[in-house]
Amino acid sequence: MGENLIIVESPAKAKTIEKFLGKNYIVKSSFGHIRDLSKKNLGIDIDNGFEPFYEISADKKKIVADLCSAAKKAEIVWLASDEDREGEAIAWHLFDTLKLSPDKTKRIAFHEITKDAILNAIETPRDIDMNLVMAQQARRVLDRLVGFELSPILWKKVQPKLSAGRVQSVALRLIVDREREISIFKPQAYYRVEGIFAHDGSKSKIKAILNTKFSSAEETETFLKKCDGAHFYISAIDKKDTTRTPSAPFTTSALQQEAARKLGFSVNQTMTIAQKLYEAGLITYMRTDSTNLSSLAINTAKESISKMYGVEYSKVRHYHTKVKGAQEAHEAIRPTYINNTSIEGSSAEKKLYDLIWKRTISSQMADAKLEKTDITITSDNISEKFSVQAERIVFDGFLKVYIEGKDEDDENEKITLLPQLSKGQTMINKEIIATEKYTLRPSRYTEASLVKKLEELGIGRPSTYAPTISTISKRGYILKEDRAGIEREYLEISLKESKIVRTTRKEISGTEKGKLFPENIGLVVTDFLAKNFEDIIDYNFTAKVESDFDLIAAGDMVWNNAIGEFYVPFHKKVVKTMQENTHSNAERTIGTDPKSGKTIIARIGRFGPLVQKGTNDDPEKQFVSLKKGQLIENITIEDALQLFELPRTVGKYNDKEIIAAIGRFGPYIKYNSSFISLGKYLDPYTINEKEAISLIDEHAKKESEKYISEFPKHNIQVLNGRYGAYIKCGKDNFKIPKNTDPKSLDEAACLIIIENAKAKKK
DNA sequence: CAGTGAGCGAGCTTCCGCTTGACTT
């Protein structure tokens, strides 16, 4: 036994492959990279040609030891890591670390986990491609140099513990740039005109949109007057046959976008659920940039579609990835067994699986055939034209299963059914409604749309999209938030029965849900990097270095020469910036306090962004923290002054004062030396005595319900917490098993639960 | 846990990409 040892990256993959192969093969996994640059220091000998210093990662020591002993027993070791830059490096690190001998080591690669693909790979082994390994080394060293030289500058010039890097700093910049585009955006008002028409012999009405937009109410009215009493008729009917094509199967980025649009998942949620499905053997690998499907998958899809929907719904399609920098080491994300239309699991798992199944199936289905009709309604005295677009599905094709979601709503609705109409036919105008609209500002990124943008720019990899968003959130650079919109007025001008009527209406605009907003520190860091290291946060920086990595991989460039060319000018800037006697605190004078005449300044302080009343040399200057979401660069004097109104006395209850303020954990009221959080919907600036008292009563009621039972002998309490009842013993908390009534627990029962939990922990 | 906004200085922070668990509040 054990003549052959195959090493792959993922344990789930190892398990699958082992099933395909006979007893002569042992399949183990490396769990990704096994070595990395030293964690403690730079890990690069700059003066010695950027020689990297590699260490076995702490969490991989056991794995390496295990692989080492398995390799010793094996006759041949097959290095089957992924066929991309990182995978090639993993193969080489394994070769080097396990001290394998060249004559008993073979490098193989397969892009799909099927028996044929693996057997085929075993028949065509090759050597480790050292050029590709060096390209990976260049990538690794560059990222370390950028990250570990830029971050310390931020610690010194902005704030400790911050970070910068090739990927995260550009991701942040995208959000910052977008926010600034939005802040300078001035919405333009215009009038969109809709005509409602009827025709003889039918009660149904048709809505048609005018092809001209007016910029003022006067212009709009002039037009409406012209329409009054005009004779409208159909001047053109254009019919056109078109087709619609299904989307390619899922890559990681596409899956994250669709799961966000259709299921409301965060990118992290999507990846966690997908990982579960993958480990259960239900889907193929979930971190991929490839849209390719194995021929086995394509054939199974063809069969399934024919059986379920009919042969005419099937169309075999081969997809090729178009995205910049794609390495295509894996297949697209698809169900492992395509005829599995549904699975067992949590509701989130079922939903995600269903999405993946539908996307995969539809990608192998026929085009939808549509008949589009454009109808134009005019009047001889009027140069503007009304038009209606209708779309009729002649053959639904892939639409039977799946339609890709959209980020933005389509303004022009399309109707599907058209009554019988003919050219020249008279259309009776029932009403014309002109609505004031505003041009749309650019929209803020969602997690998923940020990933989409990063992918387009070739920045980051499928395995890093979710972690990158986590990093810039953890650093306090960005915030994912909902924001309420503001009410605004708009005018509606209508023409009905020869009367022109103006109505002012109200709408809520600018509501945001789950959008990414920059925080003050994110703005400061981006400005700092843009000023001193513009080339690094240039959107094309990655693309530029990637082309060098390609040259290295092709053997046309030496890796450390490429790094040297980058590093020398870069390091000069690092030294120069470090020496400059500046500190970025984003200080901005907002105005003066009308009461005291003192200057109001906003800046970043030791504990975050603040507003200051009085100049820096004023010994009696006062401070107050900014609220979440308030930005130094655009806070108004009114908002800044309002911050000084807290803490404020709201009123009295039982002769004791109620105070409202904002603390470290958000707005609260203080009463009788206890603190009560205001939550999302109450405002400390406006909360009144009555509201505060009802909050206090509610809080008191909850407190009284908190204690279920107490056993002071062992310092045990049974309490009601945020997530239900639990046992508290000293400072440790313990879960109460399901199906156990917390009220029924006596001291002995509690002790058993505690003992069991402690035993399990060990 | 519901503040803070001084200063000294030791010791620490940090990157991107591969992989999963191990913690659970």
Side-chain angles (χ1 to χ4, degrees):
Chain A
M1 64 156 270
E3 291 157 42
N4 294 280
L5 171 67
I6 297 186
I7 305 177
V8 296
E9 291 181 39
S10 149
K13 200 171 171 179
K15 229 167 64 188
T16 315
I17 292 172
E18 201 152 43
K19 274 188 257 167
F20 292 144
L21 299 166
K23 277 184 184 156
N24 289 337
Y25 289 87
I26 289 181
V27 188
K28 287 188 175 284
S29 98
S30 74
F31 290 77
H33 278 292
I34 52 156
R35 283 203 305 198
D36 191 15
L37 297 175
S38 161
K39 264 203 144 42
K40 283 200 177 116
N41 43 39
L42 188 64
I44 299 165
D45 189 348
I46 291 169
D47 299 327
N48 190 18
F50 302 96
E51 192 59 32
F53 178 64
Y54 290 113
E55 273 176 359
I56 297 172
S57 315
D59 54 335
K60 299 293 165 59
K61 292 228 161 97
K62 256 177 92 178
I63 292 155
V64 170
D66 180 46
L67 289 175
C68 208
S69 73
K72 267 188 199 136
K73 289 180 208 152
E75 225 162 81
I76 295 179
V77 178
W78 303 80
L79 300 174
S81 45
D82 298 342
E83 183 154 59
D84 58 14
R85 201 162 62 204
E86 298 296 327
E88 204 67 17
I90 289 173
W92 178 75
H93 280 289
L94 283 168
F95 177 78
D96 197 53
T97 310
L98 304 179
K99 301 195 171 57
L100 304 178
S101 76
D103 53 318
K104 57 173 261 187
T105 307
K106 291 179 182 185
R107 167 78 169 122
I108 53 169
F110 32 84
H111 296 237
E112 45 187 69
I113 318 297
T114 56
K115 193 173 177 175
D116 280 353
I118 291 154
L119 293 178
N120 189 32
I122 287 174
E123 267 161 38
T124 53
R126 59 175 175 81
D127 291 329
I128 294 173
D129 179 348
M130 284 314 286
N131 287 332
L132 199 51
V133 174
M134 290 304 116
Q136 190 275 345
Q137 183 157 280
R139 199 279 306 154
R140 182 66 192 93
V141 166
L142 177 92
D143 283 339
R144 174 55 73 88
L145 288 171
V146 170
F148 274 39
E149 294 217 355
L150 284 186
S151 300
I153 305 182
L154 295 179
W155 305 341
K156 193 177 169 203
K157 301 292 179 185
V158 184
Q159 205 176 86
K161 294 188 181 179
L162 298 178
S163 64
R166 173 177 59 84
V167 173
Q168 61 168 284
S169 296
V170 180
L172 172 60
R173 186 194 175 171
L174 284 164
I175 295 165
V176 167
D177 281 358
R178 180 57 56 86
E179 193 67 22
R180 297 221 165 112
E181 279 172 44
I182 291 169
S183 75
I184 58 168
F185 181 81
K186 298 254 186 302
Q188 302 286 324
Y190 66 91
Y191 287 82
R192 178 176 181 270
V193 183
E194 190 179 275
I196 296 166
F197 296 92
H199 58 96
D200 294 336
S202 166
K203 279 182 187 158
S204 68
K205 289 171 185 165
I206 293 175
K207 273 190 204 167
I209 304 295
L210 195 71
N211 62 2
T212 308
K213 289 168 179 168
F214 301 110
S215 53
S216 71
E218 289 64 40
E219 242 182 278
T220 310
E221 274 197 16
T222 313
F223 171 75
L224 292 183
K225 278 177 196 152
K226 267 199 299 186
C227 291
D228 186 19
H231 172 250
F232 286 99
Y233 62 94
I234 293 178
S235 64
I237 297 182
D238 290 323
K239 277 194 184 170
K240 221 172 23 191
D241 290 331
T242 60
T243 57
R244 219 189 290 173
T245 311
S247 308
F250 278 135
T251 59
T252 301
S253 144
L255 176 67
Q256 289 172 348
Q257 288 160 50
E258 276 291 87
R261 288 191 282 236
K262 292 193 166 158
L263 310 175
F265 292 170
S266 70
V267 296
N268 256 326
Q269 271 176 300
T270 301
M271 293 313 283
T272 311
I273 299 162
Q275 176 92 27
K276 281 239 174 73
L277 295 175
Y278 168 66
E279 282 169 14
L282 296 168
I283 60 168
T284 55
Y285 196 58
M286 64 283 152
R287 291 186 276 261
T288 177
D289 54 21
S290 171
T291 52
N292 183 50
L293 294 176
S294 72
S295 42
L296 182 70
I298 290 177
N299 288 335
T300 326
K302 188 179 170 185
E303 266 173 45
S304 297
I305 294 163
S306 306
K307 218 190 280 169
M308 279 188 286
Y309 310 112
V311 196
E312 69 277 20
Y313 279 92
S314 158
K315 181 175 178 177
V316 169
R317 297 172 193 269
H318 297 274
Y319 292 93
H320 302 285
T321 308
K322 276 178 240 143
V323 169
K324 216 190 275 179
Q327 312 214 357
E328 305 212 77
H330 304 94
E331 269 189 79
I333 305 168
R334 65 161 171 90
T336 316
Y337 306 104
I338 287 173
N339 17 27
N340 260 7
T341 52
S342 64
I343 57 154
E344 292 301 310
S346 72
S347 100
E349 285 162 20
K350 283 181 182 165
K351 281 185 203 160
L352 194 69
Y353 182 86
D354 185 58
L355 191 68
I356 294 168
W357 185 84
K358 284 180 173 158
R359 175 84 164 212
T360 310
I361 282 285
S362 74
S363 80
Q364 295 300 316
M365 289 178 75
D367 287 349
K369 290 191 183 119
L370 308 166
E371 184 191 79
K372 278 190 178 168
T373 310
D374 285 333
I375 295 164
T376 311
I377 301 170
T378 35
S379 174
D380 287 340
N381 313 325
I382 296 167
S383 56
E384 293 88 352
K385 293 177 168 67
F386 285 95
S387 65
V388 191
Q389 280 195 326
E391 212 173 64
R392 194 172 67 87
I393 296 176
V394 180
F395 173 64
D396 53 359
F398 77 95
L399 294 176
K400 204 175 194 73
V401 176
Y402 181 91
I403 306 170
E404 184 170 49
K406 279 183 201 157
D407 285 330
E408 309 287 333
D409 286 341
D410 214 342
E411 205 190 42
N412 287 330
E413 51 182 311
K414 288 195 177 100
I415 57 170
T416 45
L417 264 176
L418 265 190
Q420 276 306 342
L421 295 171
S422 53
K423 199 174 164 183
Q425 186 174 344
T426 298
M427 298 299 284
I428 303 146
N429 179 238
K430 293 285 184 187
E431 189 176 3
I432 299 179
I433 304 164
T435 312
E436 186 178 20
K437 298 265 179 190
Y438 296 88
T439 49
L440 291 175
R441 54 163 173 68
S443 48
R444 292 189 174 88
Y445 287 105
T446 61
E447 290 184 354
S449 68
L450 181 67
V451 168
K452 183 181 179 187
K453 185 73 190 172
L454 288 171
E455 186 191 43
E456 277 167 19
L457 293 167
I459 298 170
R461 304 277 311 130
S463 66
T464 62
Y465 295 138
T468 299
I469 294 173
S470 297
T471 300
I472 58 178
S473 305
K474 259 193 254 158
R475 303 276 176 267
Y477 294 157
I478 64 160
L479 199 62
K480 177 176 163 180
E481 258 199 333
D482 299 342
R483 294 249 171 113
I486 44 165
E487 201 176 62
R488 82 177 158 198
E489 288 186 346
Y490 69 96
L491 203 58
E492 197 180 275
I493 311 172
S494 67
L495 168 74
K496 195 178 182 184
E497 288 156 4
S498 295
K499 264 184 283 189
I500 291 178
V501 180
R502 284 192 185 202
T503 321
T504 303
R505 296 187 186 278
K506 283 175 183 167
E507 65 179 349
I508 305 288
S509 87
T511 311
E512 295 279 35
K513 212 166 177 290
K515 293 292 173 66
L516 303 179
F517 293 81
E519 296 216 71
N520 285 289
I521 199 71
L523 294 165
V524 175
V525 165
T526 298
D527 288 342
F528 181 85
L529 294 174
K531 187 176 160 226
N532 299 292
F533 298 95
E534 211 207 326
D535 43 347
I536 305 279
I537 61 165
D538 188 294
Y539 293 134
N540 289 315
F541 178 65
T542 290
K544 278 184 212 147
V545 294
E546 279 290 339
S547 71
D548 277 358
F549 299 153
D550 286 346
L551 288 174
I552 296 167
D556 295 332
M557 191 185 261
V558 179
W559 80 273
N560 44 6
N561 288 349
I563 295 297
E565 263 173 47
F566 161 76
Y567 184 74
V568 174
F570 169 69
H571 187 67
K572 254 187 207 158
K573 273 188 208 163
V574 169
V575 172
K576 182 174 156 263
T577 313
M578 264 304 200
Q579 282 166 350
E580 277 167 7
N581 191 24
T582 51
H583 191 88
S584 293
N585 64 2
E587 186 169 313
R588 183 172 83 92
T589 303
I590 308 171
T592 37
D593 176 20
K595 277 188 203 147
S596 63
K598 285 187 177 184
T599 310
I600 304 289
I601 293 167
R603 65 177 170 89
I604 291 186
R606 271 211 300 166
F607 308 107
L610 58 81
V611 203
Q612 178 181 321
K613 191 188 283 185
T615 50
N616 288 327
D617 52 6
D618 182 347
E620 285 176 357
K621 57 183 185 282
Q622 288 175 285
F623 303 98
V624 57
S625 286
L626 285 188
K627 283 196 282 188
K628 256 204 164 129
Q630 286 184 326
L631 297 182
I632 292 169
E633 66 181 41
N634 63 15
I635 186 172
T636 60
I637 183 78
E638 291 78 19
D639 286 348
L641 287 171
Q642 193 197 35
L643 292 171
F644 287 100
E645 287 169 17
L646 294 181
R648 100 177 217 274
T649 306
V650 177
K652 279 191 172 169
Y653 187 38
N654 295 334
D655 266 351
K656 282 177 191 139
E657 260 194 343
I658 309 169
I659 310 244
I662 297 178
R664 183 127 157 47
F665 307 100
Y668 65 92
I669 52 171
K670 191 175 169 189
Y671 170 74
N672 200 9
S673 72
S674 66
F675 298 90
I676 306 168
S677 183
L678 285 188
K680 246 187 190 169
Y681 302 103
L682 288 167
D683 182 348
Y685 296 100
T686 57
I687 186 170
N688 59 36
E689 194 181 70
K690 202 178 145 203
E691 289 167 330
I693 288 170
S694 84
L695 207 62
I696 291 165
D697 287 342
E698 200 182 304
H699 185 251
K701 196 176 155 218
K702 261 192 203 149
E703 274 297 295
S704 72
E705 285 168 354
K706 193 174 153 189
Y707 296 93
I708 298 172
S709 41
E710 263 179 297
F711 308 106
K713 205 172 130 195
H714 289 96
N715 198 13
I716 294 173
Q717 294 174 308
V718 183
L719 302 171
N720 250 323
R722 251 205 300 177
Y723 309 112
Y726 66 102
I727 300 171
K728 186 181 174 81
C729 175
K731 54 182 181 172
D732 294 323
N733 296 332
F734 301 91
K735 225 191 264 175
I736 296 171
K738 271 182 198 163
N739 311 324
T740 307
D741 179 11
K743 287 187 197 107
S744 72
L745 289 169
D746 57 11
E747 186 162 25
C750 287
L751 281 172
I752 291 170
I753 291 172
I754 292 168
E755 285 311 311
N756 283 344
K758 280 185 180 164
K760 210 176 163 190
K761 214 174 172 182
K762 276 166 191 167

